[in-house]
Each structure stands twice: as C-alpha cells, then as structure tokens.
Amino acid sequence: MPKVRGVTPERSAWRRYPSPDGLQFRCSASPHAIPDADAAATAREHAAQIRARHQDPAIAVDWISLVYRLPDGLRQVLLEELDQGNLMVEIGESSWPSPRCIVAMMRDRFHGEGRTWPAGVFWHVVNDPRQWREDVSESVDGQEFLLMA
C-alpha cells in the first residue's frame, strides 16, 4: 500500500490476531497514537479499498471479507463513517452479542446527530466508561451486528 499523507503502510496495516471466536483483525498502530489528520486519511483509504473489491461474503480471509459479511445497512454506515474520517481500528467475528456476528470498533464517535439511518439500523448512546461510548446495530434473522465507538 502506498504512503498516505504521512501514514506508513505499517501504521495502517491490518494484523490478524488469535481469538476463540474466529477471525480477528486490528489496525497495527495504536489508534490514538495516529494524528487525527493521518487517521482520517487512512480511514478514507480503507473505504476506497473496501469499495475496490467485491467479495464473496462466505469466504472470510481478511478484514475486507469481514466488512462484506456486515448487513447492507451497517456496511453503508461503516463506509460513510470511513469517508468522514472515522478510522475502523478492529473488526472480527464474535460470539457476542450473538453467535457468528461481526463486531467492528471505530476510533471516534459516530456522526449521529441529525443523521438519517438506513432502515433497520439503530444508533445507541451508551456512555459507559467501563464499556463503550456508542454503537450502531443491525439485526438480521435474529443475529445482531455492531459497530462500536
């Protein structure tokens, strides 16, 4: 991957890490160690990488494959957040909140105020310092998928 506004390929690379739940990927740099402008540029680059590749969601081999396993509305929200510079720092399969769901963690809060969400997508403000600040969820056939900040 080419250098993007001061972000080295190593800083924005995705690394797989072990998990009993399945595939898990983290952005290799500490998300808050990346300057805001560089994080925003990296987020936009990740959105371009996702849009450039069409993937069979049944084949999960990397972080983009997991993005394609998100329901359509939630994937739309994720791409909009990336376009606005909100960096995704982790994505993976999880047994929580439901078996075989995909959960992604964002660096910053969602751009939620006054936003029109896709049908079936819900924004929740949690603000629990022991948990997370916000989440955006979509359920399909009783299975919940989450983006968390």
Side-chain angles (χ1 to χ4, degrees):
M1 175 176 14
K3 188 173 179 179
V4 179
R5 291 188 201 172
V7 178
T8 63
E10 297 79 29
R11 185 180 285 186
S12 64
W14 288 90
R15 295 222 167 100
R16 185 175 176 178
Y17 66 95
S19 169
D21 291 327
L23 291 175
Q24 300 288 323
F25 293 89
R26 277 191 192 126
C27 197
S28 59
S30 171
H32 295 288
I34 302 172
D36 290 346
D38 289 347
T42 301
R44 287 189 286 275
E45 174 62 26
H46 288 167
Q49 290 173 11
I50 293 165
R51 287 186 175 105
R53 190 167 99 200
H54 297 284
Q55 177 82 20
D56 179 351
I59 303 171
V61 295
D62 66 2
W63 69 274
I64 295 176
S65 328
L66 294 175
V67 169
Y68 275 96
R69 287 180 46 199
L70 291 170
D72 292 340
L74 205 55
R75 188 171 53 249
Q76 175 187 335
V77 170
L78 173 65
L79 287 166
E80 290 170 359
E81 286 294 319
L82 291 169
D83 288 340
Q84 293 181 49
N86 192 358
L87 182 63
M88 180 174 60
V89 296
E90 189 172 330
I91 187 167
E93 296 173 313
S94 179
S95 58
W96 177 89
S98 58
R100 296 184 359 247
C101 71
I102 303 297
V103 175
M105 183 67 72
M106 307 302 289
R107 178 179 187 253
D108 301 311
R109 289 183 175 272
F110 296 104
H111 299 86
E113 286 296 322
R115 180 179 195 159
T116 301
W117 299 96
V121 173
F122 300 96
W123 172 49
H124 309 100
V125 177
V126 178
N127 282 334
D128 184 340
R130 297 164 297 167
Q131 302 292 325
W132 59 93
R133 297 173 290 181
E134 301 173 320
D135 65 59
V136 179
S137 65
E138 184 174 3
S139 293
V140 176
D141 297 328
Q143 186 170 357
E144 188 175 13
F145 298 83
L146 286 172
L147 302 179
M148 301 165 68

